[in-house]
Structure formats: C-alpha cells, structure tokens
Amino acid sequence: MKLLVCISKVPDTTTKISFKDNNTRFNDENVAWIINPTDEWYALVRALELKEKFGGTVTVINVGRAVNDPIIRRALAIGADDAVRIDADETDSYYVAAQIAEYAKGKGYDIIFTGKETIDYNGCMVGGVVAELLDLPFVSLATSLEIEGNTATIKREIEGGKEIVKVQTPFVVSATKGLAEARIANMRGIMAARTKPLTVVPAVQVDTFTEIKNYELPPQRSSVKLISPDKVEELVELLHNEAKII
C-alpha cells in the first residue's frame, strides 16, 4: 500500500502560551515543539501497521519551514519510510490542505491520513479539504480501520454512538483515539531516521482566505472559595448569584 500521513508541528502541551506584536502573533520563544498527537499516535501508527501487514510505504508530509525538520525526523524515527516538507509558512488550513493536495495529486496514494485536529488551532479542516481538492471520499473521526482488498471498513464516532462505513481506496481519513496504540521511537529508529530521505519541495501558488487579526488568552481562573458544610444557604446564594449555575 502507498500511504501518506499529514503531520503538523504544535507546541508541547506544557508550553506557557503567550503572544507578541500587540497580540497578533504567537510567541514561539522557548517553545518545545512536538508532532500533533493525533497525527502521531493514531494516523502515523495505523499507517505503519497497515504497511507491516500488507507491505508498501509510508510517507509523512508537513507544510512548514526548516525549523520543522526535527519533528519530521521524529516521525521517521517512529517508522515512516521517507518524508516531504513543503517549504512554506502555514498560513491557514485551506492553504496547508491545498499544498498537500497539490503534492499528492497523481502520485497514487491509497490512503491519506490526518489527525482529527491539531491541538493548537483545533480546525479539523485539513483532511476534508484535501479530499475535496483531490475528489476523494473523506471519512472523519476514525477509531478503527480494517482493509480487505480495496475496501476499508471504518468505525467512526458520531453523536451518541459509533458508525461503521465502507469505502473504496483511495480515500482520506482523519484519525482519533482508538485507531492505534502510540509507539515510542527506539534507538535503532532514531539512528535510522538520520539518513532517511527528507525531500523539500517549493510551495505552489495558493490563495489564503483567512487572516488572524488578534489572539486572546482565556480569562484566568478565579480563586477557590471554601464554604463550611453548615452554611448551605451561603453556598446556594453563591451558586445562584455569583456562579449563575442554578
């Protein structure tokens, strides 16, 4: 099978988020970067499992500058065969998806994987837009994916339950929890990743439809108020008038 896995670079979840330039840009000083978790834990690992079962190749693709190379090498250390970086700034979801679709066009990938969303912008858009631009089926929120011949049986999350769908390859799928078990790169993989191919290709001309005007941090959590168990009336008054939840 010929598999393509889209990966994004996101801040580590322990990063203290701040902004600069009058809150118009993310401050990336002292930020530890990681592969977006659903891209790595579920999309990449399930693609590797399919390659191990059926043979083929797993290519990871990223849109970004050279500063992204360390997280791409991490994907190679986990087991991807090669990598492609489209040399451009990630301006918005459509731009990223259009770059990936343009690269993938005509290359015969059986499945294109994405994570369900990135943990920084939570857009959930790239997979669907890639599918639309390539005129391929798109299945979102996959928690199970099995292949028989050219047919994939996919379980996906829906409101209040799960749905089972069948789709013919090629298609695009977004991965979420349950699709695979996360893997940790071992020393052999880390050493091998140094020499695996990482191809850098120029970006194509694509329109950008959105622009970030301003960032805001969520309001700080208020301090905890401790109410004595024998002051039920005070608790009710606070829940009604201050917290406004009853």
Side-chain angles (χ1 to χ4, degrees), residues 99-186:
Q99 296 295 337
I100 293 171
E102 185 65 26
Y103 175 81
K105 190 180 299 179
K107 290 187 170 59
Y109 290 107
D110 295 294
I111 307 174
I112 299 176
F113 289 86
T114 71
K116 73 167 185 177
E117 62 183 347
T118 57
I119 62 170
D120 50 1
Y121 291 97
N122 304 100
C124 307
M125 293 176 56
V126 169
V129 178
V130 168
E132 172 65 20
L133 294 174
L134 292 175
D135 196 23
L136 295 177
F138 174 58
V139 183
S140 62
L141 304 175
T143 58
S144 170
L145 191 163
E146 300 297 335
I147 296 287
E148 185 173 352
N150 294 326
T151 302
T153 301
I154 299 174
K155 288 183 182 177
R156 59 182 301 273
E157 293 183 343
I158 60 173
E159 185 70 25
K162 294 186 181 295
E163 180 181 62
I164 299 175
V165 299
K166 290 184 180 293
V167 61
Q168 300 290 311
T169 59
F171 61 90
V172 182
V173 61
S174 73
T176 191
K177 185 177 181 180
L179 189 64
E181 292 290 333
R183 294 183 180 182
I184 298 174
N186 57 31

Side-chain angles (χ1 to χ4, degrees), residues 12 21 28-29 31-32 34 38 51 54 87 94 97 100 130 139 157 169 180 185-186 203 209 212 218 228 230 232:
D12 186 278
D21 297 342
D28 57 5
E29 289 187 18
V31 172
I34 60 173
T38 55
K51 185 195 81 168
F54 298 105
D87 194 25
Y94 177 81
I100 293 171
V130 168
V139 183
E157 293 183 343
T169 59
N186 57 31
F209 295 113
I212 294 172
S228 173
D230 59 354
V232 176

Side-chain angles (χ1 to χ4, degrees), residues 13-42:
T13 52
T14 60
T15 297
K16 186 176 181 180
I17 301 299
S18 63
F19 308 113
K20 61 184 180 181
D21 297 342
N22 200 25
N23 290 339
T24 59
R25 295 178 59 199
F26 175 70
N27 183 5
D28 57 5
E29 289 187 18
N30 302 316
V31 172
W33 298 101
I34 60 173
I35 304 174
N36 182 55
T38 55
D39 300 348
E40 176 187 333
W41 299 345
Y42 312 127

Side-chain angles (χ1 to χ4, degrees), residues 1-20:
M1 302 191 75
K2 191 172 181 180
L3 308 170
L4 183 67
V5 181
C6 309
I7 61 172
S8 297
K9 182 191 72 174
V10 297
D12 186 278
T13 52
T14 60
T15 297
K16 186 176 181 180
I17 301 299
S18 63
F19 308 113
K20 61 184 180 181

